[in-house]
Amino acid sequence: MATATVERVTYREGNKYPQGLGGAGGVGEEAGPALHEPLLPSTTPAAPPPRPGEVTAPVSLHEQHAQSLRAAGANLAKAMLGVGLLALPKVTSLLGIGTTLIFLAFIAFLTYLSLHYCTVASSRTGIVHYSDVVRDQTGLFGQTLLDLSLIINGAGVLIIALIVIGDILVGSDGQGLLSPACGDRSTVLAVVTVVLIAPLVSVTRLQTLAGASVLGVAAIVGWSLLTLLLFIIAGTNDQLHHMAWWPSRKSKFVGHGFESAVQVIATLPVILVAFICQMSLQGVLRDLQYVRDRQVDKISSTALMITVISYAAIGIFSYGVFGKNVSPDVLQSFTVDALEPLLSQKLAQAAFVAVRLGFLISLLGTFPLQMTPLRDALWKLLFRQELRGPGLWLVTYLLLAGVLMAAAWIESIWEPLVLIGSTAGVLIALIFPGLLAIQTPELLTEPLGAHRWRQVGGVVLVFVGLVIGVFGLIRVFAFRDPFGEG
């Protein structure tokens, strides 16, 4: 029988607590690693000796640490900036600017809490993997449920991402980047999967993807700036559409009692999917050699700030440029015909290509960040041990083949987004981090108030997760899809 393998941070002799991510200071801080001590044994190969006559500039420990933190922040931000972004302009047109900003701030705050509680749990237990931390604190059933959630979320997000890549490259009615001579949708997706995606998901250390993550984040920021420019041009030319602050009284979001409450709350799973990154946090921690709790919190807050600003900018400015009839997939609104009233024909064509090409680059960076927790969760669910050796590549490519086949016959991406957010999403992002906050052991040196507030925060996460999940499922199975409204 296969035995469970749990990756723990090593204990140091003479310490009362395991060598974890480090504390905030004060009595007992010797239990956390100092900046010169590695959190985990480094797996980075030693640098080759310099060639004769070659002069190499020494890289200080501080510079290496700073580079690792920047890479971690880029990977965490990129894990959030994914397919969920495409639905936010339509969400903004349905909920209004005010409601959307409140919901974005609410989900971002809950995400920060959940990331903090996951970090504290890893620090106190000395366990790095999200799944293993959950098993340590909630038992085997909790780990099994989380692994299933990670599989559903990871596979769902990758399938949706591949569908969107097909829309970008092939599209419909000549709205793709490639000409029909390049082949049909299935052929193009197969080539992209083999040539571009397969090498990316073969990477085992997320730190090596920092450059791709930075490029993906930069592409989203560039899209935000382009949307701002279009918004300003539309406002200058008196072509800006009417923008409401709150839901319209003519929509299903107001004046229909329980159904209105369900429709409003059921937009939260879509927003939640756009913020799920808890499983990526553990991969980030594995790649960091020197880190403390407060540094991880700083990484999380910086990544969340970039994400919220980008989401709000693209959502609000696209709403103003395209109006209430903005497409549920905002890329379908960024057409040459729609942009020509604001720009010249050549500039409209350039903007059309820039938006699609930029988001394509961003989506490609999503695959390794989602594939890593997906394959690990699948292997642990089946065999309860770490995925290593040749089996890693076999599982990776089999999963990628399955994602490619699923993307060939799934058409709509919005019902899957709500369904993922209402089930796997709330478990990964809210409920299990809340349970970790409640179950994580208290340090002898920890103030009593801090422990109680962490437990209160955990209860809030669990309660909110249950509410979002239940209302999202009710919307899926009992009411009409609001994305079809104008």
Side-chain angles (χ1 to χ4, degrees):
M1 173 181 279
T3 58
T5 303
V6 178
E7 184 172 356
R8 290 179 179 270
V9 181
T10 56
Y11 284 80
R12 294 186 298 173
E13 186 177 356
N15 281 355
K16 184 174 251 182
Y17 303 112
Q19 179 180 334
L21 302 181
V27 179
E29 181 161 326
E30 66 277 0
L35 288 180
H36 63 278
E37 298 169 323
L39 170 64
L40 291 171
S42 176
T43 59
T44 305
R51 297 176 180 176
E54 180 181 4
V55 179
T56 58
V59 179
S60 68
L61 186 63
H62 178 75
E63 291 175 348
Q64 292 178 351
H65 180 55
Q67 291 174 359
S68 298
L69 292 178
R70 286 194 293 269
N75 285 330
L76 199 59
K78 184 63 206 72
M80 289 183 279
L81 293 169
V83 293
L85 163 65
L86 299 178
L88 290 180
K90 187 62 178 180
V91 170
T92 306
S93 72
L94 295 173
L95 296 179
I97 297 174
T99 310
T100 300
L101 290 176
I102 292 172
F103 279 9
L104 281 175
F106 178 61
I107 295 298
F109 174 71
L110 295 182
T111 302
Y112 176 80
L113 283 183
S114 69
L115 291 172
H116 173 70
Y117 295 149
C118 288
T119 302
V120 171
S122 290
S123 175
R124 302 289 170 83
T125 62
I127 303 173
V128 176
H129 284 290
Y130 189 14
S131 176
D132 290 334
V133 176
V134 168
R135 176 173 181 169
D136 184 79
Q137 297 298 304
T138 66
L140 181 59
F141 177 77
Q143 184 187 35
T144 301
L145 189 57
L146 177 61
D147 286 339
L148 285 172
S149 302
L150 291 172
I151 293 169
I152 294 171
N153 176 78
V157 169
L158 291 183
I159 291 170
I160 293 172
L162 204 55
I163 293 173
V164 174
I165 289 176
D167 293 338
I168 292 173
L169 295 177
V170 180
S172 59
D173 301 327
Q175 296 297 330
L177 292 178
L178 301 179
S179 68
C182 295
D184 59 12
R185 186 187 188 92
S186 300
T187 302
V188 170
L189 285 181
V191 172
V192 169
T193 300
V194 173
V195 176
L196 296 178
I197 298 176
L200 287 173
V201 297
S202 300
V203 174
T204 57
R205 286 181 56 85
L206 295 182
Q207 193 172 14
T208 60
L209 296 169
S213 295
V214 170
L215 188 60
V217 173
I220 299 298
V221 172
W223 186 4
S224 304
L225 295 176
L226 176 61
T227 311
L228 171 61
L229 177 62
L230 294 173
F231 184 85
I232 294 174
I233 294 174
T236 303
N237 297 334
D238 199 23
Q239 294 177 298
L240 207 60
H241 288 80
H242 172 72
M243 303 171 66
W245 277 92
W246 312 108
S248 170
R249 294 184 179 274
K250 298 179 181 180
S251 69
K252 294 291 184 180
F253 293 89
V254 178
H256 292 79
F258 179 70
E259 180 181 358
S260 294
V262 170
Q263 295 285 16
V264 170
I265 296 177
T267 60
L268 288 173
V270 178
I271 300 176
L272 184 65
V273 170
F275 281 91
I276 294 177
C277 61
Q278 286 73 13
M279 62 285 185
S280 298
L281 176 67
Q282 308 306 315
V284 166
L285 294 179
R286 290 184 65 189
D287 286 339
L288 287 175
Q289 291 183 321
Y290 318 96
V291 68
R292 295 182 184 276
D293 288 3
R294 59 178 178 269
Q295 291 175 316
V296 179
D297 289 341
K298 185 177 180 180
I299 292 172
S300 302
S301 59
T302 302
L304 281 167
M305 180 180 66
I306 295 172
T307 301
V308 170
I309 292 175
S310 299
Y311 284 168
I314 293 176
I316 294 173
F317 298 147
S318 296
Y319 176 31
V321 172
F322 302 112
K324 65 179 182 179
N325 292 322
V326 60
S327 174
D329 178 353
V330 70
L331 285 177
Q332 304 303 319
S333 294
F334 276 86
T335 63
V336 176
D337 293 338
L339 296 176
E340 276 189 359
L342 302 175
L343 306 169
S344 65
Q345 184 178 13
K346 290 184 178 181
L347 288 178
Q349 292 174 342
F352 169 83
V353 173
V355 169
R356 280 164 170 73
L357 187 58
F359 196 63
L360 172 63
I361 294 172
S362 179
L363 280 182
L364 291 175
T366 298
F367 279 84
L369 296 174
Q370 294 290 339
M371 180 61 77
T372 298
L374 170 59
R375 65 193 177 197
D376 288 345
L378 178 61
W379 194 259
K380 284 194 174 184
L381 182 65
L382 295 176
F383 302 108
R384 295 300 170 197
Q385 60 184 7
E386 296 291 330
L387 178 58
R388 302 179 186 275
L392 186 146
W393 316 115
L394 177 63
V395 172
T396 297
Y397 299 137
L398 287 177
L399 284 171
L400 191 58
V403 167
L404 177 61
M405 288 187 291
W409 61 271
I410 295 179
E411 297 180 357
S412 172
I413 68 175
W414 308 115
E415 286 298 325
L417 275 178
V418 177
L419 196 56
I420 291 171
S422 302
T423 53
V426 295
L427 287 168
I428 296 170
L430 299 176
I431 293 178
F432 277 114
L435 293 176
L436 290 179
I438 296 171
Q439 295 292 332
T440 298
E442 178 183 6
L443 291 178
L444 296 177
T445 57
E446 184 178 17
L448 180 62
H451 179 64
R452 288 180 177 175
W453 276 112
R454 187 172 68 249
Q455 290 185 317
V456 170
V459 172
V460 170
L461 286 183
V462 172
F463 175 75
V464 173
L466 291 174
V467 170
I468 293 176
V470 170
F471 276 71
L473 291 175
I474 292 175
R475 212 288 293 148
V476 169
F477 295 109
F479 296 112
R480 185 167 63 89
D481 181 7
F483 284 101
E485 294 188 6

